């Protein structure tokens, strides 16, 4: 009668693999915590999305020019700030990283028309911009979901908004509020008007295809939302 092979070796290798996987996960989150701690005081020289666009430019015709100037929140017009909040995350100052009401609405809408609309907060979008790319995947979403509370805890609302306004994409190679103001309106972020802010905020969902001049309808909606927020 043939002997049944022992599984000790296989089990040992599996346990060792799991230990290394655990070390990898702990190392990843240790890096994220250190990075977020540094970002409380240091302005990022680049981001995941900026790196993605640079790499993509290597495989496309034409010259790629990155426009990116980090400015303090005080040098970004309040009109501009509130236009982005109204457009992207109206309850930014009320939630702790996730807007559960918006998530619920998005899921319900998705069940009705068989697609899920976006419900990401500014905090979630900042995490995506800093550490990941625009490529959608369940893994990215899962990691983003676990990192967002850390960002809220370590950075705080003011720094999250400052970072987001300075790193989000506003056109081909255009990153941040200052570059957006200069590129689209030939002015600086401190001088952006209410209407200009609404039009710039309106292109954030698709910055490589939209232009502020064509955002009449959506910018009007954003202006209404700003009024509802008392701005």
């Amino acid at each position: 009668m043939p002997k049944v092979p022992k599984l000790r070796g296989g089990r040992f290798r599996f346990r060792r693999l799991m230990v290394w996987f655990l070390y990898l996960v702990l190392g990843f989150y240790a890096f994220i915590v250190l990075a977020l701690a540094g970002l409380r005081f240091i302005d990022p020289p680049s981001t995941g999305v900026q790196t993605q666009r640079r790499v993509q430019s290597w495989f496309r015709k034409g010259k790629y020019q990155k426009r990116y100037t980090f400015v303090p929140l005080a040098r970004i017009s309040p009109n501009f700030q509130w236009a982005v909040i109204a457009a992207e995350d109206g309850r930014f100052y009320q939630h702790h990283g996730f807007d559960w009401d918006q998530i619920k609405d998005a899921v319900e809408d998705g069940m009705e028309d068989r697609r899920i609309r976006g419900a990401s907060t500014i905090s979630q979008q900042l995490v995506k911009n800093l550490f990941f790319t625009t490529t959608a995947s369940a893994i990215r979403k899962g990691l983003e979901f676990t990192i967002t509370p850390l960002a809220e805890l370590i950075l705080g609302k003011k720094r999250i908004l400052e970072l987001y306004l300075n790193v989000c994409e506003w056109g081909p190679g255009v990153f941040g509020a200052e570059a957006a103001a200069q590129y689209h309106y030939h002015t600086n972020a401190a001088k952006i008007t209410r209407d200009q802010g609404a039009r710039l905020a309106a292109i954030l969902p698709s910055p490589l295809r939209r232009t502020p001049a064509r955002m009449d309808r959506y910018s009007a909606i954003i202006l209404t939302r700003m009024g509802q927020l008392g701005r």
Side-chain angles (χ1 to χ4, degrees):
M1 182 175 180
K3 294 182 179 180
V4 177
K6 295 182 179 181
L7 299 177
R8 181 179 295 178
R11 288 176 179 172
F12 176 76
R13 284 192 294 271
F14 177 76
R15 288 180 62 185
R16 185 167 61 179
L17 182 64
M18 292 304 296
V19 168
W20 279 109
F21 177 74
L22 179 61
Y23 284 154
L24 181 65
V25 171
L26 291 175
F28 172 76
Y29 282 100
F31 164 76
I32 293 296
V33 169
L34 289 174
L36 289 171
L39 286 169
R40 286 190 62 183
F41 312 102
I42 301 170
D43 303 332
S46 187
T47 67
V49 172
Q50 290 177 20
T51 301
Q52 175 194 2
R53 297 308 187 206
R54 174 66 70 180
V55 172
Q56 288 175 340
S57 72
W58 297 343
F59 304 95
R60 294 175 180 170
K61 294 181 179 180
K63 182 181 178 181
Y64 176 80
Q65 181 182 355
K66 176 181 170 181
R67 298 172 175 86
Y68 174 51
T69 303
F70 199 104
V71 295
L73 198 60
R75 286 175 53 190
I76 301 175
S77 162
N79 290 316
F80 202 172
Q81 296 180 36
W82 280 101
V84 171
I85 291 172
E88 298 287 284
D89 187 2
R91 299 184 68 251
F92 174 67
Y93 287 108
Q94 281 74 53
H95 64 65
H96 300 287
F98 306 103
D99 189 337
W100 297 108
D101 290 337
Q102 285 293 320
I103 292 172
K104 178 183 175 182
D105 290 344
V107 172
E108 289 176 350
D109 289 351
M111 292 175 67
E112 290 178 2
D113 61 16
R114 298 189 179 183
R115 65 183 178 84
I116 300 296
R117 68 179 174 88
S120 294
T121 62
I122 284 175
S123 305
Q124 290 174 272
Q125 292 181 61
L126 173 64
V127 168
K128 178 196 72 177
N129 273 276
L130 288 173
F131 301 114
F132 303 107
T133 68
T134 60
T135 304
S137 71
I139 294 175
R140 192 208 82 192
K141 278 291 185 182
L143 292 172
E144 179 186 297
F145 192 85
T146 60
I147 295 170
T148 296
L150 295 174
E152 285 272 335
L153 180 66
I154 295 171
L155 297 173
K157 291 292 187 182
K158 181 178 178 181
R159 183 59 172 167
I160 286 173
L161 182 62
E162 183 174 64
L163 285 166
Y164 179 69
L165 289 171
N166 274 286
V167 303
C168 59
E169 191 173 28
W170 256 297
V174 181
F175 298 96
E178 183 69 13
Q182 293 176 4
Y183 180 77
H184 291 291
Y185 288 112
H186 308 290
T187 186
N188 55 57
K191 296 180 180 178
I192 289 295
T193 66
R194 199 166 179 270
D195 180 70
Q196 290 171 339
R199 288 179 177 276
L200 285 168
I203 71 173
L204 282 173
S206 187
L208 300 184
R209 290 189 237 177
R210 298 182 180 181
T211 59
R214 300 181 64 183
M215 292 294 103
D216 296 341
R217 182 172 175 275
Y218 188 26
S219 66
I221 293 172
I222 293 171
L223 288 170
T224 300
R225 292 178 185 172
M226 290 174 69
Q228 293 169 346
L229 292 172
R231 302 292 167 174

